[in-house]
Amino acid sequence: MPTLADILYEFSVWHEIGGSPFKPRAYALAAESVTALGSDVKDTWRTGGVKALVALPGIGRSIAEKIDEYFRTGHIKEYDMMKKRFPVDITGLTRIEGLGPKHLAELYRRLGITDLAMLKRGLTRHEIRSLPGWGVKSEERLAKNLALMERSSGRHLLSEILPMADDIVAILSKIPGVRRCVYAGSLRRRQETVGDIDLIATTDTPARVMDAFVALPLVEAVHEKGKTRSSVRLRNGIDADLRVVPDEVFGATLQYFTGDKRHNVLLRERALSKRLTLNEYGLFRLAKKKMGERLACATEEDIYARLDMETPPPEIRGGGDEIEAAWTKTLPHLLPYGSVKGDLQVQTDWTDGSASIGDMVTAAKAAGLSYLAVTDHTKALAFIHGLDDVQVKKQGRAIDALNRKLRGFRVLKGTECDILRDGGLDLKDSTLASLDWVGVSVHSLFNLPRKAQTARVVKAIANPNVDCLFHPTCRIIGKREGLDLDMDEVIAAAKKHRVALEIDAYPDRSDLRDIHVRAAVQAGVKLAIDTDAHTPDHFRFIPFGEAIARRGWATTADVVNTKSAKDLLAYLDKKRKRRVS
DNA sequence: GCCGTTTTCGGCCCGACTGTTTTCAGTCG
């Protein structure tokens, strides 16, 4: 059975083929909404049923009932019927650039093409060029884009793409005639994964800049090349789009291409309601359905201000309630980059880290931090020689000795204590009570059923010696789904026991993710932003953790390690009085 | 099908690029 998002997307394509004017958009937006929520759609449904689903953006009565049917029965009758009448691998085929609903319908009706293999056969036999509206060029283009799709590397972790994007921006900035150059899109919004690189350049000589762009050595193939927009495949398998505009409309273009799509649709609808129209060249008055005077274009702030809104930071532009908050001028003051003062999850060569405590301190200092917590694994992780109670005490004495030598930097004694099968902990309470910072986490039995897994985690954080739940869901992006946890229950337990939830910034973890951060913040649960550093080089992940916090609407006050070491220890002292020793 | 600082009815974002078209349809972001 395809995923829920795929099904909604296929409905959208299906209605597009059928010529329905507005249903395609409705289903497409619902599909995006479901994708953005991930597994939490099912949680929402489980706790609130159809009624709770309707409250989600882009989901109304009709779609909510289909989702309900999907979760209850594993099928959607209307979808199955649609599939019978149009047995086409819509999701698979539309991954090819330039192949949309109308073409799919044509290929199926005239040639019976339903999947990639049949499409390839049609291409080699040159059956496609003779279809009405098609020609040799469009057939060749389809073949080229199919090959590019097969060699595409899919979505990438933000941390992989960001340095690459910085390099490309630097290269483009040197093209003669370029005044400003930045990246926008999902990169600027700091989404956890990025599909392509959206670039904006301003210039008075667009043609020259475009010629230079598509001729760059790092460009492997050109999808499109126009006067103001070009799209290319880079040699590393990633697509990049460049938009070129006059410098004076930079703000409008930046707003437009930062997105996301739903945010922009809502914004433009809001503009329309004020008899204005918004595009990548500015915000204009609308007179007799024609564009009139330009009201704003230089900066994003100008545009939002003319719509009587605050400017939402890019990280929270998702087409949800940031629009409402911007309108009512109640946007939160998100935690600024550079706010984290210490890293509270660091592994050393006492277990599976690569460097000594001293070397990690040196690297943390160089990264601008003023403290770190040494949190080596515990003995349940035998294969990496996790520490037992005696070794933890011994490490503590080593840290005391190191602290006596350090100036302007503090090393906290900590642990990443394993959560055992029954929710018990891998170190004695007396050992835990002797530490400055106790993190706990799951490293085994990832597939326990939801009820048992939730009970296990909740029991662990109910231990009064625990300060933080590390990488709470244990997902690994692209590899491991993560624990089946009732996050509402975990968040409620964290609140009750005053345990912080970690934002593990290690790129393929990114755990908590944005929506759970948001739920934690709304519940008044504190967060810790850590890198999970295993080498000195890993402290560079901190901004990625800060980005997740920002996407979850967190402020400085929500994150415990924005405090100085002294304030953090004072804060933890209040908890320590309740500890069992 | 969704949605509401104009609305429970009647609206629904906007422009660039391509190819096959002599004025536009399809696709994309």
Side-chain angles (χ1 to χ4, degrees), chain A residues 42-49 52 486 488:
Chain A
K42 192 158 187 183
D43 288 344
T44 302
W45 168 77
R46 210 184 323 247
T47 40
D486 183 333
D488 289 340

Side-chain angles (χ1 to χ4, degrees), chain A residues 202-251:
Chain A
T202 69
T203 181
D204 301 325
T205 53
R208 276 174 59 197
V209 171
M210 277 308 177
D211 288 344
F213 174 63
V214 300
L216 287 175
L218 50 81
V219 170
E220 179 191 322
V222 180
H223 300 306
E224 283 180 353
K225 178 169 176 274
K227 285 199 289 284
T228 70
R229 199 188 79 198
S230 290
S231 176
V232 301
R233 167 69 54 86
L234 304 176
R235 294 202 181 278
N236 53 26
I238 294 161
D239 287 337
D241 294 340
L242 175 65
R243 191 64 197 253
V244 173
V245 292
D247 197 62
E248 58 269 23
V249 305
F250 176 74

Side-chain angles (χ1 to χ4, degrees), chain A residues 401-421:
Chain A
L402 181 59
N403 271 326
R404 281 193 288 276
K405 285 191 262 174
L406 290 173
R407 291 288 170 270
F409 195 93
R410 172 80 185 240
V411 182
L412 306 188
K413 286 176 275 188
T415 179
E416 179 175 6
C417 184
D418 239 67
I419 297 176
L420 307 177
R421 174 177 205 129

Side-chain angles (χ1 to χ4, degrees), chain A residues 8 19 27 93 97-98 154 197 220 240 272 303-304 319 334 443-444 446 510:
Chain A
L8 294 174
Y27 277 101
L93 287 172
E97 183 90 5
I197 301 175
E220 179 191 322
L272 272 187
I303 290 163
Y304 285 100
L334 301 185
H443 295 101
S444 60
F446 296 114
S510 298

Side-chain angles (χ1 to χ4, degrees), chain A residues 157 160 446-447 474-482 506-509:
Chain A
L157 292 176
E160 290 171 24
F446 296 114
N447 294 320
C474 298
R475 65 123 172 218
I476 308 283
I477 296 175
K479 285 188 198 137
R480 188 200 296 152
E481 181 113 36
Y506 202 89
D508 62 359
R509 285 195 181 271

